[in-house]
Amino acid sequence: MPGENLSRDEARERARLLAVDGYEVALDLRSAVAEGEAARTFRSVTTIRFRSSRPGADTFADLIAPEVTRVTLNGRELDPATVFDGARIALPDLAAENVLVVDAQCAYSRTGEGLHRFVDPEDGEVYLYTQYEPADARRVFANFEQPDLKAPFTFEVTAPEGWVVLSNGAEEGETEGAREAHPLKGGGGRRVGPVHRFATTKPISTYITAVVAGPYHYVSDTYRRTFEDGTELEVPLGALCRKGLARHFDADDVFTVTKQGLDFFHDHFDYPYPFGKYDQAFVPEYNIGAMENPGCVTFREEFIFRGKVTQASYERRANVILHEMAHMWFGDLVTMEWWDDLWLKESFADFMGALSLAEATRFKDGWITFANGRKAWAYRADQLPSTHPITADIRDLEDAKLNFDGITYAKGASVLKQLVAYVGRDAFLDGARRYFKRHAYGNTTLADLLTALEETSGRDLAAWSRSWLQTAGVNALTPQVTYDAQDRITELSVLQEASPARPELRPHRVAVGLYRRGDADGALVRYARAELDVSGQRTAVEELAGAERPDLILVNDEDLTYCKVRFDERSLETLRGHLGEITDPMARALCWSALWGLTRDGLMPARDYLGIVLRFAGRESDIGVLQTLHAQARTALHHYAAPEWRETGAQQLAQGALRELRLAEPGSGHQLTWARFFASVASTEADFQLLNGLLDGTAKIDGLVVDQELRWAFLEPLAANGIADERRIDAELARDDTASGKRHHVRCLAARPSAEVKARAWADVVESDALSNALVEATISGFDQPGQRDLLAPYAPKYFDALRTVWQDRSIEIGMAVVRGLFPALQSSPDTLDAADAWLIGHPDAPPALRRLVSESRDDLARALRAQGCDAKVGGRP
């Protein structure tokens, strides 16, 4: 990735110098359907009109392309060989008003960055889409690639006959072709094919422009709303996917959530949706969940479900739809100046997505999923050596790429949830409305938002901002309680702790709940509650003095703040024996989350945590919480359990999973979830015989339908344990010769326990760039099998030897996937830790982003070793 970075200082200097009036971008995508080398590049012609505050000054435009054929600045020809270095175009001697025209051959992407080209193995059709954040628009057209140089965009796309072509603006017309006047015409005035012209956008940043093109299946609808003043709004809606997925596409549900979201945001933001139409494209080989391109939102196509899924999957999709929709206001209408304030869009979108999910859709328990799953992501990120304040110090684009993390999203959303409790919901929303109207189509910093919120709430938020937005780390809150002779509370306090490295003690708005078991049914129910502000090391909960002795004290009941929850001894013993008896699903989810935190911190042995999961996960009613428990149980077994106990633990988990699978309601989401979990932890000959029987139809479990997606889930452990060979895996692909089937096929092939297989997988990912981003991900997933530690051991030193080359030669997206995915975490020994330390010490000049990734994985390994030490201390305890 040499020469492709852009520093904050460079961006600031360019923003002081330039103001951009508009872009005209013409793309010729007909080469996408060609064969061989002809399908490698496409023609891109960009016209940029901009002003300079200092005539005579020099600047540069951004472009990453194999070839630039022509550059003109104010009618003056510039030699591409002189001004273009592969990533930047030097622009000398600017005028007060400037016109730049760049004619380039840009490359189609196979990494999901820029203009991605995908060939569907099912029918040979070609599909294109763009993905830019934070700075890959420059792979498609010349531009000034920074968020604060907003401008209107006019796109024109020449595409093969019959293609659906979309951009941010509505299509204004499609013509069969053009001759002399068209910027993409060939020699001799030949006709250039269907040309799609799109309406000029409002001023937006480069990273949220978009083009989607191909023979997509397209479904339309309309959103209508009449406002109190009698004005009407009509928004054309579109939803699209590959033709091969059309039979699975439940567009009606997508439109239902979309309309519910638009109603919610119009009710609360008092600012009409500002970008005309609203298309939502579900695209193949997508690196992230979704992207908030105004008027043309893109999603990973895995949100179209090929088989049976649980309600948690539909909830997750709805949450992502609403998250991206919130961005239309937070991020697209009003955009951060630089990536330091990335949280101004991501934290708000995460918060508003969860809020609208719970209040506007059928998923009323959305905050439970947020508390148990989303915040776990934040807690992990906030305890890494790379933790950072929510308002981060982003020096350059590589820093920005890595800061789309749990702190920016989930911690930021958690802090906003507390801010709403602090200033009041009405004041918060009034501040948001003022913020939109004051800064529409502009750029902002933290100070702009705080000003609006201070105006509407009447509160000084400077101290709150310093504590919550400008410092890093997570506090732990622990109850401390004493009782009198009548078993009544004499004193209850909340103790606050911080790590030595992050010593900030913060103000917390918390609820403290007291729970006790009922005499008749044993249910754990809350009988007393106090809400208070916690500050400093110790805060008394005076309101609960005199209450009867509880079985469980839950600090941060209702999940009002962002903290690690700890327990007193009596509460911990109650959870060990009775967690499943907590009747309130939010309280139960918070207790599960707290126990996982104790396990990660090496304060609870992994086998104890797994024992609690085996006892009570079968009683968990919330399917999203159950799926999180299963994922955490696998991590506890493979990384936190003492090595000598892993085999025993695996057998216990598999036995428990099979028991719950057989007990689950036939055909239910819980049954499906336990089936998938059983397959993932299967470890004995009997387990594998059952999986084989379910695949070939000789075994049955009442109500369990083994559809194609579940077949692949059952086949992978058989492949990883040497039971399913290449011929059998190929036969499964023949049943499912689709894009999804190809990914599963690649993963299963890489999972086989063979030195030759592992060498081939390693070479495909590390030594070659032939695989697409999706197949790189699938290969890494199959390569890294917990039951193959000895087979993978030789790759630990190879990993550290390859790091610099991978980071140098591959795109940042693929580089991140390889560095994270192939770190030898399964080689959990002090030797691996020493190797990571040696690499970090020996490469002080490595790119900071690369050092950060290695440091984070090293920290995860150190945490795992501490947890294994904790687990080993319990010896043979079951």
Side-chain angles (χ1 to χ4, degrees):
M1 293 165 275
E4 297 179 8
N5 212 347
L6 174 72
S7 74
R8 177 176 52 201
D9 290 343
E10 289 176 312
R12 285 175 175 169
E13 173 59 29
R14 189 162 61 176
R16 284 192 288 266
L17 179 65
L18 304 183
V20 186
D21 296 316
Y23 287 82
E24 298 161 26
V25 180
L27 306 176
D28 187 347
L29 306 182
R30 291 171 298 161
S31 60
V33 296
E35 299 290 337
E37 275 299 298
R40 194 175 72 86
T41 63
F42 59 93
R43 190 177 180 193
S44 170
V45 181
T46 307
T47 301
I48 313 176
R49 305 179 192 280
F50 64 100
R51 288 165 282 130
S52 170
S53 61
R54 289 188 286 114
D58 300 339
T59 191
F60 61 92
D62 301 294
L63 178 68
I64 298 173
E67 181 185 5
V68 172
T69 55
R70 188 180 184 194
V71 180
T72 65
L73 178 62
N74 301 326
R76 184 171 84 252
E77 295 280 348
L78 303 180
D79 179 12
T82 302
V83 299
F84 179 59
D85 66 1
R88 297 182 177 185
I89 301 171
L91 304 177
D93 192 22
L94 297 178
E97 296 187 359
N98 302 272
V99 178
L100 172 68
V101 180
V102 179
D103 191 340
Q105 289 293 319
C106 294
Y108 293 110
S109 168
R110 299 195 70 227
T111 66
E113 302 151 292
L115 182 61
H116 188 80
R117 178 179 181 269
F118 172 79
V119 180
D120 192 334
E122 189 172 4
D123 55 18
E125 296 281 18
V126 175
Y127 294 88
L128 306 176
Y129 64 87
T130 57
Q131 171 57 31
Y132 297 151
E133 192 174 39
D136 285 319
R138 56 194 171 144
R139 297 181 185 275
V140 177
F141 60 91
N143 60 57
F144 301 116
E145 188 82 281
Q146 58 191 81
D148 58 343
L149 287 178
K150 284 185 162 183
F153 285 82
T154 304
F155 281 94
E156 186 173 283
V157 179
T158 302
E161 295 279 356
W163 272 24
V164 172
V165 182
L166 302 173
S167 186
N168 303 92
E171 187 166 357
E172 292 190 323
E174 177 184 338
T175 61
E176 291 185 0
R179 295 181 185 274
E180 294 300 324
H182 195 278
L184 297 180
K185 71 177 183 65
R190 66 178 177 85
R191 186 175 296 279
V192 297
V195 180
H196 302 258
R197 295 185 176 87
F198 298 93
T200 301
T201 70
K202 298 288 188 179
I204 57 176
S205 301
T206 54
Y207 76 91
I208 50 175
T209 59
V211 170
V212 176
Y216 284 93
H217 170 72
Y218 186 89
V219 184
S220 62
D221 201 340
T222 304
Y223 169 82
R224 295 180 176 87
R225 183 182 178 92
T226 301
F227 296 99
E228 290 183 359
D229 63 2
T231 59
E232 296 184 352
L233 175 68
E234 184 173 295
V235 180
L237 305 178
L240 57 154
C241 67
R242 288 187 294 113
K243 290 191 297 185
L245 287 175
R247 64 187 182 277
H248 305 294
F249 193 21
D250 52 341
D252 287 347
D253 190 53
V254 171
F255 288 139
T256 294
V257 174
T258 301
K259 293 175 184 179
Q260 290 169 334
L262 287 169
D263 276 340
F264 181 88
F265 292 129
H266 284 130
D267 287 342
H268 291 81
F269 289 167
D270 190 32
Y271 196 109
Y273 171 69
F275 295 109
K277 69 179 180 71
Y278 200 78
D279 286 319
Q280 296 176 96
F282 294 80
V283 298
E285 297 191 325
Y286 205 50
N287 285 323
I288 59 176
M291 184 64 206
E292 67 268 20
N293 315 307
C296 191
V297 183
T298 41
F299 299 82
R300 63 187 301 119
E301 70 177 15
E302 284 77 6
F303 284 125
I304 298 173
F305 308 120
R306 299 198 314 150
K308 182 177 180 179
V309 296
T310 69
Q311 280 302 301
S313 295
Y314 290 101
E315 178 183 327
R316 167 67 176 151
R317 182 176 70 184
N319 182 262
V320 175
I321 288 172
L322 296 169
H323 175 111
E324 303 309 321
M325 188 180 293
H327 273 311
M328 300 300 118
W329 291 267
F330 284 107
D332 294 358
L333 177 66
V334 183
T335 312
M336 69 274 160
E337 281 188 7
W338 177 248
W339 301 102
D340 293 344
D341 282 310
L342 175 62
W343 81 281
L344 280 175
K345 71 185 188 77
E346 295 301 348
S347 298
F348 272 87
D350 229 39
F351 171 75
M352 295 305 302
L355 181 66
S356 56
L357 182 75
E359 296 189 4
T361 76
R362 65 186 185 273
F363 304 106
K364 303 305 181 186
D365 291 333
W367 282 119
I368 296 176
T369 307
F370 180 86
N372 187 256
R374 199 70 169 167
K375 287 178 77 171
W377 179 32
Y379 292 141
R380 174 189 175 270
D382 216 2
Q383 296 174 81
L384 290 170
S386 58
T387 186
H388 56 84
I390 293 172
T391 55
D393 179 24
I394 304 298
R395 297 161 296 186
D396 54 33
L397 291 177
E398 287 192 5
D399 277 358
K401 186 71 173 178
L402 269 62
N403 262 46
F404 290 83
D405 59 14
I407 295 171
T408 301
Y409 284 73
K411 180 180 179 179
S414 303
V415 168
L416 289 177
K417 186 179 182 184
Q418 180 170 155
L419 178 61
V420 171
Y422 180 56
V423 304
R425 177 166 169 153
D426 289 344
F428 176 82
L429 291 172
D430 284 345
R433 290 188 278 266
R434 188 170 299 190
Y435 176 73
F436 297 145
K437 292 173 182 177
R438 184 176 295 168
H439 301 288
Y441 305 109
N443 296 88
T444 58
T445 64
L446 167 63
D448 298 307
L449 177 67
L450 292 183
T451 296
L453 291 173
E454 286 176 340
E455 289 171 357
T456 56
S457 69
R459 290 179 179 266
D460 182 352
L461 296 179
W464 177 88
S465 173
R466 283 193 300 271
S467 291
W468 280 107
L469 302 179
Q470 296 167 288
T471 62
V474 56
N475 301 131
L477 301 184
T478 307
Q480 185 179 71
V481 62
T482 58
Y483 303 97
D484 61 18
Q486 287 74 44
D487 263 355
R488 292 188 176 273
I489 293 175
T490 56
E491 184 178 1
L492 173 59
S493 299
V494 177
L495 307 183
Q496 180 176 190
E497 298 175 276
S499 70
R502 308 287 177 183
E504 180 80 15
L505 298 180
R506 299 176 178 83
H508 297 263
R509 186 68 180 175
V510 302
V512 178
L514 304 184
Y515 292 74
R516 63 185 172 199
R517 299 182 67 216
D519 294 333
D521 56 6
L524 263 171
V525 296
R526 189 173 71 189
Y527 66 94
R529 172 191 183 276
E531 188 171 323
L532 68 153
D533 293 318
V534 169
S535 61
Q537 293 182 337
R538 184 188 194 95
T539 303
V541 189
E542 297 175 354
E543 186 178 336
L544 296 179
E548 294 180 359
R549 179 192 290 265
D551 294 309
L552 168 66
I553 302 173
L554 180 56
V555 176
N556 197 31
D557 204 355
E558 302 173 20
D559 198 39
L560 298 184
T561 193
Y562 171 84
C563 69
K564 293 198 285 188
V565 172
R566 303 302 196 208
F567 300 104
D568 63 293
E569 282 301 319
R570 180 182 175 92
S571 296
L572 193 54
E573 285 307 307
T574 296
L575 293 176
R576 289 179 187 276
H578 306 284
L579 188 153
E581 294 160 16
I582 299 173
T583 58
D584 180 73
M586 173 63 88
R588 198 168 58 244
L590 292 171
C591 289
W592 279 121
S593 179
L595 293 179
W596 178 240
L598 291 172
T599 307
R600 289 192 74 248
D601 289 348
L603 300 175
M604 171 176 279
R607 69 190 71 185
D608 285 10
Y609 174 77
L610 292 172
I612 297 171
V613 170
L614 287 171
R615 283 194 291 279
F616 301 120
R619 299 171 64 176
E620 180 52 58
S621 60
D622 188 288
I623 195 71
V625 172
L626 180 61
Q627 290 173 346
T628 299
L629 291 177
H630 287 167
Q632 292 170 346
R634 285 191 294 269
T635 299
L637 174 68
H638 298 315
H639 296 284
Y640 297 161
E644 61 273 14
W645 186 80
R646 283 190 196 123
E647 184 177 351
T648 299
Q651 292 175 4
Q652 290 181 3
L653 274 186
Q655 291 168 4
L658 181 57
R659 179 184 68 246
E660 297 298 340
L661 169 58
R662 296 191 185 279
L663 289 173
E665 179 184 349
S668 67
H670 281 71
Q671 183 188 56
L672 177 60
T673 299
W674 282 108
R676 288 184 170 277
F677 182 56
F678 169 69
S680 72
V681 296
S683 60
T684 67
E685 183 178 348
D687 296 338
F688 300 133
Q689 286 177 349
L690 177 57
L691 292 176
N692 262 324
L694 291 169
L695 283 171
D696 64 23
T698 60
K700 300 286 185 183
I701 294 177
D702 186 27
L704 184 67
V705 177
V706 184
D707 59 26
Q708 187 58 61
E709 285 296 296
L710 198 55
R711 289 186 64 85
W712 285 113
F714 288 173
L715 187 61
E716 183 177 348
L718 297 177
N721 286 276
I723 298 167
D725 60 12
E726 182 174 4
R727 184 168 59 180
R728 184 170 175 187
I729 298 168
D730 288 347
E732 197 65 35
L733 178 63
R735 289 175 57 108
D736 184 28
D737 193 9
T738 64
S740 298
K742 179 63 174 176
R743 291 194 298 273
H744 290 307
H745 178 257
V746 166
R747 182 170 58 253
C748 287
L749 287 177
R752 291 171 295 156
S754 156
E756 180 184 357
V757 165
K758 298 305 176 185
R760 186 182 311 129
W762 179 270
D764 287 345
V765 169
V766 176
E767 299 166 10
S768 167
D769 64 356
L771 294 181
S772 70
N773 55 323
L775 297 185
V776 167
E777 179 183 320
T779 303
I780 290 173
S781 177
F783 177 88
D784 202 39
Q785 294 291 324
Q788 300 172 359
R789 295 171 195 268
D790 291 343
L791 194 59
L792 297 175
Y795 293 95
K798 292 182 179 181
Y799 169 86
F800 293 107
D801 290 343
L803 283 173
R804 291 297 292 262
T805 301
V806 166
W807 197 258
Q808 173 78 16
D809 294 347
R810 311 295 284 277
S811 74
I812 190 168
E813 194 70 46
I814 298 299
M816 288 166 58
V818 172
V819 174
R820 283 175 171 153
L822 292 181
F823 183 90
L826 292 172
Q827 308 305 313
S828 52
S829 73
D831 289 344
T832 309
L833 199 65
D834 290 343
D837 288 337
W839 189 90
L840 288 166
I841 293 169
H843 296 83
D845 60 339
L850 173 58
R851 287 181 55 84
R852 171 177 169 170
L853 291 172
V854 175
S855 176
E856 289 176 347
S857 294
R858 182 260 180 219
D859 191 74
D860 282 338
L861 176 58
R863 179 179 291 274
L865 292 173
R866 292 193 297 271
Q868 290 172 27
C870 171
D871 191 58
K873 290 178 182 178
V874 303
R877 178 159 42 120

